[in-house]
């Protein structure tokens, strides 16, 4: 009787551990990101402090990494001359509901109309959600535009 109780406890523990350790489904496969935010300072770009971000992220199975490509539009309007593009590596903690992450990457940044410069970005954030639908908040430092940009948005 005592031995069967230990077997039952071991099975319950194994089930609990595999449930917690299973990756969040929103972080494996393709996820789309869209958000808006603002820069702490105007930095060296000619555009305003407002920021809009669109991106797509590919979560890699069996690894805590993802690859994200995003477009960052600076300024109050929708001026295509103010768009920069980034490719980032994302290190994510794959746990249910709340998923913190850090990211870093390279890209091309709009400095002013028809002027772009290569640069890099690094930062971190947190995604909250179930499945592919969720919300996120992140902070990234971008060079050469010398801006720290905070963005809040949705994943789907």
């Amino acid at each position: 009787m005592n031995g069967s109780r230990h077997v039952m406890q071991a099975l319950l523990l194994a089930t609990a551990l595999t449930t917690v350790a299973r990756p969040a489904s929103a972080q494996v496969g393709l996820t789309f990101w869209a958000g808006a935010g603002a820069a702490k300072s105007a930095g060296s770009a000619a555009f305003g402090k407002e920021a809009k971000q669109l991106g797509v992220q590919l979560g890699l199975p069996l690894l805590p990494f993802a690859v994200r490509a995003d477009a960052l539009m600076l300024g109050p309007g929708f001026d295509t001359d103010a768009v920069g593009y980034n490719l980032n590596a994302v290190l994510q903690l794959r746990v249910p509901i709340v998923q913190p992450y850090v990211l870093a990457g390279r890209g091309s940044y709009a400095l002013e109309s028809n002027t772009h410069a290569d640069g890099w970005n690094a930062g971190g954030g947190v995604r909250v959600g179930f499945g592919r639908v969720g919300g996120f908040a992140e902070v990234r430092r971008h060079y050469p535009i010398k801006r720290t940009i905070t963005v809040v948005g949705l994943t789907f």
Side-chain angles (χ1 to χ4, degrees):
M1 183 78 155
N2 198 16
S4 64
R5 187 170 89 172
H6 289 299
V7 170
M8 186 61 111
Q9 288 174 343
L11 285 173
L12 286 173
L13 179 62
T15 302
L17 288 175
T18 57
T19 301
V20 171
R22 187 175 47 202
S25 64
Q27 295 181 335
V28 176
L30 282 179
T31 306
F32 297 93
W33 297 62
K40 185 175 178 183
S41 67
S44 61
F47 307 105
K49 293 182 185 180
E50 297 86 0
K52 294 164 277 305
Q53 177 183 321
L54 293 173
V56 61
Q57 181 169 305
L58 175 62
L60 304 173
L62 304 176
L63 297 173
F65 293 99
V67 177
R68 186 190 305 175
D70 59 47
L72 178 66
M73 181 178 289
L74 301 174
F78 286 95
D79 182 2
T80 56
D81 289 335
V83 178
Y85 302 96
N86 293 297
L87 184 61
N88 296 289
V90 183
L91 175 61
Q92 49 195 356
L93 182 58
R94 291 184 176 170
V95 294
I97 303 173
V98 177
Q99 300 107 24
Y101 60 90
V102 294
L103 71 164
R106 300 233 354 119
S108 176
Y109 289 90
L111 300 178
E112 55 188 51
S113 294
N114 299 319
T115 304
H116 282 74
D118 290 337
W120 61 271
N121 71 87
V126 64
R127 180 190 176 279
V128 178
F130 294 99
R132 297 202 182 285
V133 178
F136 74 96
E138 71 179 32
V139 176
R140 281 196 265 177
R141 182 70 179 169
H142 296 268
Y143 287 95
I145 61 173
K146 299 177 184 168
R147 293 187 187 185
T148 299
I149 298 176
T150 302
V151 175
V152 176
L154 299 174
T155 64
F156 46 94

